[in-house]
């Protein structure tokens, strides 16, 4: 069964760090863009970061996370990472990764409508 599996979430104090992973199961990651999204309680889901396929030549970040989050990919491990540093309480939420079945070389987007295959999410809580 094909799946996207997020991991690495947890409880962290403000100023701390977490590294989220998005791994593919049942299919390879090489030709796929990956987007990270998050949803806080009572709020709409928002785009956080994305990386284009293969070498990941295109990356995008939401203004709220620029300079604090870094997205990367390891195609040999079929995994995309989201390194999150200097975490703030407002970073709290469920984090989802997503991909797109249609070919889109060297592109990604922070629009959730761009993606048609989603993981189940991992919870991130930033609190003292």
């Amino acid at each position: 069964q094909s799946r996207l599996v997020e991991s690495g979430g947890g409880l962290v104090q403000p100023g701390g760090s977490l590294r989220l992973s998005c791994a593919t199961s049942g299919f390879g990651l090489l030709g796929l863009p990956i987007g990270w999204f998050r949803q806080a309680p009572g709020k709409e889901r928002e785009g956080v970061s994305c990386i284009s396929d293969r070498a990941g030549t295109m990356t995008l970040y939401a203004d709220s996370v620029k300079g604090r989050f870094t997205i990367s990919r390891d195609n040999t491990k079929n995994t995309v990472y989201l390194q999150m540093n200097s975490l703030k309480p407002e970073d709290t939420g469920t984090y989802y990764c997503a991909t797109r079945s249609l070919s889109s070389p060297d592109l990604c987007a922070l629009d959730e409508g761009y993606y048609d295959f989603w993981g189940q999410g991992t919870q991130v809580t930033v609190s003292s």
Side-chain angles (χ1 to χ4, degrees), residues 28-51:
L29 181 69
L30 181 62
L32 301 175
I34 295 291
W36 279 102
F37 295 79
R38 67 186 180 190
Q39 187 167 23
K43 294 188 176 181
E44 293 186 354
R45 189 156 56 186
E46 63 174 347
V48 175
S49 182
C50 69
I51 188 166

Side-chain angles (χ1 to χ4, degrees), residues 27-34 51-55 73 75 78 99-107:
F27 60 100
L29 181 69
L30 181 62
L32 301 175
I34 295 291
I51 188 166
S52 58
D53 63 335
R54 300 186 185 276
R73 61 189 295 148
N75 295 324
N78 289 320
T99 192
R100 171 184 171 94
S101 57
L102 293 175
S103 177
S104 57
D106 301 318
L107 294 174

Side-chain angles (χ1 to χ4, degrees), residues 27-120:
F27 60 100
L29 181 69
L30 181 62
L32 301 175
I34 295 291
W36 279 102
F37 295 79
R38 67 186 180 190
Q39 187 167 23
K43 294 188 176 181
E44 293 186 354
R45 189 156 56 186
E46 63 174 347
V48 175
S49 182
C50 69
I51 188 166
S52 58
D53 63 335
R54 300 186 185 276
T57 53
M58 179 179 186
T59 59
L60 295 174
Y61 297 92
D63 288 343
S64 58
V65 307
K66 281 181 182 177
R68 300 189 297 122
F69 291 11
T70 302
I71 193 169
S72 61
R73 61 189 295 148
D74 185 341
N75 295 324
T76 66
K77 296 182 178 179
N78 289 320
T79 302
V80 168
Y81 303 100
L82 186 67
Q83 178 66 44
M84 307 189 297
N85 298 329
S86 302
L87 282 162
K88 304 176 181 180
E90 51 263 44
D91 294 317
T92 294
T94 303
Y95 282 68
Y96 301 89
C97 66
T99 192
R100 171 184 171 94
S101 57
L102 293 175
S103 177
S104 57
D106 301 318
L107 294 174
C108 71
L110 296 181
D111 178 0
E112 62 178 285
Y114 190 76
Y115 303 93
D116 56 10
F117 192 73
W118 292 78
Q120 294 300 306

